[in-house]
PDB file of all heavy atoms in Angstrom:
ATOM      1  N   ASN U 202      89.446 108.041 106.434  1.00 87.00           N
ATOM      2  CA  ASN U 202      88.581 107.413 107.442  1.00 87.00           C
ATOM      3  C   ASN U 202      87.890 108.409 108.359  1.00 87.00           C
ATOM      4  O   ASN U 202      86.683 108.406 108.490  1.00 87.00           O
ATOM      5  CB  ASN U 202      89.362 106.384 108.264  1.00 87.00           C
ATOM      6  CG  ASN U 202      88.466 105.503 109.105  1.00 87.00           C
ATOM      7  OD1 ASN U 202      88.045 105.904 110.176  1.00 87.00           O
ATOM      8  ND2 ASN U 202      88.188 104.302 108.624  1.00 87.00           N
ATOM      9  N   GLY U 203      88.634 109.264 109.020  1.00 83.00           N
ATOM     10  CA  GLY U 203      88.045 110.295 109.864  1.00 83.00           C
ATOM     11  C   GLY U 203      87.909 109.935 111.325  1.00 83.00           C
ATOM     12  O   GLY U 203      87.512 110.773 112.146  1.00 83.00           O
ATOM     13  N   ARG U 204      88.279 108.685 111.711  1.00 84.00           N
ATOM     14  CA  ARG U 204      88.060 108.274 113.090  1.00 84.00           C
ATOM     15  C   ARG U 204      89.339 107.986 113.853  1.00 84.00           C
ATOM     16  O   ARG U 204      89.309 107.901 115.076  1.00 84.00           O
ATOM     17  CB  ARG U 204      87.163 107.027 113.121  1.00 84.00           C
ATOM     18  CG  ARG U 204      85.782 107.301 112.593  1.00 84.00           C
ATOM     19  CD  ARG U 204      84.856 106.127 112.812  1.00 84.00           C
ATOM     20  NE  ARG U 204      84.651 105.839 114.212  1.00 84.00           N
ATOM     21  CZ  ARG U 204      83.504 105.404 114.722  1.00 84.00           C
ATOM     22  NH1 ARG U 204      82.478 105.241 113.949  1.00 84.00           N
ATOM     23  NH2 ARG U 204      83.397 105.123 115.992  1.00 84.00           N
ATOM     24  N   PHE U 205      90.466 107.796 113.160  1.00 91.00           N
ATOM     25  CA  PHE U 205      91.715 107.558 113.866  1.00 91.00           C
ATOM     26  C   PHE U 205      92.193 108.861 114.510  1.00 91.00           C
ATOM     27  O   PHE U 205      91.672 109.942 114.238  1.00 91.00           O
ATOM     28  CB  PHE U 205      92.758 106.978 112.920  1.00 91.00           C
ATOM     29  CG  PHE U 205      92.418 105.589 112.441  1.00 91.00           C
ATOM     30  CD1 PHE U 205      92.143 105.337 111.110  1.00 91.00           C
ATOM     31  CD2 PHE U 205      92.338 104.538 113.341  1.00 91.00           C
ATOM     32  CE1 PHE U 205      91.815 104.065 110.666  1.00 91.00           C
ATOM     33  CE2 PHE U 205      92.006 103.251 112.912  1.00 91.00           C
ATOM     34  CZ  PHE U 205      91.743 103.022 111.577  1.00 91.00           C
ATOM     35  N   LEU U 206      93.210 108.750 115.351  1.00 95.00           N
ATOM     36  CA  LEU U 206      93.627 109.869 116.200  1.00 95.00           C
ATOM     37  C   LEU U 206      93.817 111.168 115.423  1.00 95.00           C
ATOM     38  O   LEU U 206      93.146 112.177 115.696  1.00 95.00           O
ATOM     39  CB  LEU U 206      94.924 109.502 116.927  1.00 95.00           C
ATOM     40  CG  LEU U 206      95.553 110.616 117.769  1.00 95.00           C
ATOM     41  CD1 LEU U 206      94.631 111.008 118.914  1.00 95.00           C
ATOM     42  CD2 LEU U 206      96.916 110.176 118.305  1.00 95.00           C
ATOM     43  N   HIS U 207      94.730 111.181 114.467  1.00 97.00           N
ATOM     44  CA  HIS U 207      95.055 112.430 113.775  1.00 97.00           C
ATOM     45  C   HIS U 207      93.984 112.817 112.769  1.00 97.00           C
ATOM     46  O   HIS U 207      93.682 114.005 112.594  1.00 97.00           O
ATOM     47  CB  HIS U 207      96.418 112.297 113.109  1.00 97.00           C
ATOM     48  CG  HIS U 207      97.518 111.972 114.069  1.00 97.00           C
ATOM     49  ND1 HIS U 207      98.217 110.787 114.047  1.00 97.00           N
ATOM     50  CD2 HIS U 207      98.007 112.669 115.123  1.00 97.00           C
ATOM     51  CE1 HIS U 207      99.106 110.773 115.028  1.00 97.00           C
ATOM     52  NE2 HIS U 207      98.993 111.901 115.704  1.00 97.00           N
ATOM     53  N   ASP U 208      93.391 111.825 112.111  1.00 96.00           N
ATOM     54  CA  ASP U 208      92.307 112.115 111.176  1.00 96.00           C
ATOM     55  C   ASP U 208      91.113 112.740 111.893  1.00 96.00           C
ATOM     56  O   ASP U 208      90.442 113.621 111.361  1.00 96.00           O
ATOM     57  CB  ASP U 208      91.870 110.840 110.462  1.00 96.00           C
ATOM     58  CG  ASP U 208      93.029 110.121 109.791  1.00 96.00           C
ATOM     59  OD1 ASP U 208      93.776 110.782 109.054  1.00 96.00           O
ATOM     60  OD2 ASP U 208      93.198 108.921 110.024  1.00 96.00           O
ATOM     61  N   SER U 209      90.866 112.276 113.121  1.00 95.00           N
ATOM     62  CA  SER U 209      89.737 112.832 113.875  1.00 95.00           C
ATOM     63  C   SER U 209      90.014 114.275 114.280  1.00 95.00           C
ATOM     64  O   SER U 209      89.083 115.079 114.408  1.00 95.00           O
ATOM     65  CB  SER U 209      89.453 111.979 115.115  1.00 95.00           C
ATOM     66  OG  SER U 209      90.512 112.043 116.054  1.00 95.00           O
ATOM     67  N   ALA U 210      91.289 114.624 114.474  1.00 97.00           N
ATOM     68  CA  ALA U 210      91.631 116.014 114.798  1.00 97.00           C
ATOM     69  C   ALA U 210      91.376 116.926 113.608  1.00 97.00           C
ATOM     70  O   ALA U 210      90.880 118.052 113.758  1.00 97.00           O
ATOM     71  CB  ALA U 210      93.095 116.102 115.230  1.00 97.00           C
ATOM     72  N   VAL U 211      91.719 116.446 112.404  1.00 98.00           N
ATOM     73  CA  VAL U 211      91.430 117.215 111.189  1.00 98.00           C
ATOM     74  C   VAL U 211      89.925 117.358 111.014  1.00 98.00           C
ATOM     75  O   VAL U 211      89.420 118.444 110.688  1.00 98.00           O
ATOM     76  CB  VAL U 211      92.051 116.527 109.961  1.00 98.00           C
ATOM     77  CG1 VAL U 211      91.653 117.271 108.684  1.00 98.00           C
ATOM     78  CG2 VAL U 211      93.568 116.477 110.086  1.00 98.00           C
ATOM     79  N   THR U 212      89.200 116.272 111.232  1.00 96.00           N
ATOM     80  CA  THR U 212      87.742 116.310 111.126  1.00 96.00           C
ATOM     81  C   THR U 212      87.148 117.327 112.094  1.00 96.00           C
ATOM     82  O   THR U 212      86.248 118.097 111.730  1.00 96.00           O
ATOM     83  CB  THR U 212      87.159 114.919 111.409  1.00 96.00           C
ATOM     84  OG1 THR U 212      87.665 113.988 110.448  1.00 96.00           O
ATOM     85  CG2 THR U 212      85.644 114.931 111.336  1.00 96.00           C
ATOM     86  N   ALA U 213      87.646 117.330 113.330  1.00 97.00           N
ATOM     87  CA  ALA U 213      87.144 118.275 114.331  1.00 97.00           C
ATOM     88  C   ALA U 213      87.418 119.710 113.904  1.00 97.00           C
ATOM     89  O   ALA U 213      86.553 120.591 114.061  1.00 97.00           O
ATOM     90  CB  ALA U 213      87.793 117.992 115.683  1.00 97.00           C
ATOM     91  N   ALA U 214      88.604 119.966 113.368  1.00 98.00           N
ATOM     92  CA  ALA U 214      88.938 121.312 112.914  1.00 98.00           C
ATOM     93  C   ALA U 214      88.028 121.749 111.768  1.00 98.00           C
ATOM     94  O   ALA U 214      87.595 122.913 111.703  1.00 98.00           O
ATOM     95  CB  ALA U 214      90.404 121.370 112.480  1.00 98.00           C
TER      96      ALA U 214
END
Side-chain angles (χ1 to χ4, degrees):
N202 192 279
R204 295 188 63 145
F205 293 115
L206 175 64
H207 302 115
D208 306 310
S209 66
V211 175
T212 299

